[in-house]
Amino acid sequence: MLKHNFMIWQVYATAAICSTLFTIIFSQFINRQFTKQVMLDTKKAVLKIDSLG
């Protein structure tokens, strides 16, 4: 019975670690994409302002 409980605990622990890592990696990736997009938009906006001035 104890061994069975330990196996369940291991599965839960592994799932928790995997989901945490996945979340961290995925959020880093999204932030990077988002930051690139914002930087591109900012450059475009600055160029527009320069051409108007």
Side-chain angles (χ1 to χ4, degrees):
M1 190 64 194
L2 187 67
K3 194 173 185 182
H4 185 65
N5 283 347
F6 184 72
M7 286 208 33
I8 290 169
W9 178 84
Q10 255 186 331
V11 170
Y12 274 117
T14 308
I17 290 164
C18 286
S19 66
T20 306
L21 283 174
F22 178 77
T23 307
I24 291 166
I25 290 163
F26 203 67
S27 64
Q28 289 285 337
F29 176 73
I30 285 174
N31 284 344
R32 209 169 293 147
Q33 296 293 99
F34 183 70
T35 309
K36 275 185 191 168
Q37 191 59 47
V38 169
M39 282 172 71
L40 283 172
D41 289 349
T42 308
K43 278 182 186 169
K44 283 180 192 167
V46 168
L47 285 173
K48 276 184 188 170
I49 292 164
D50 282 351
S51 63
L52 288 173

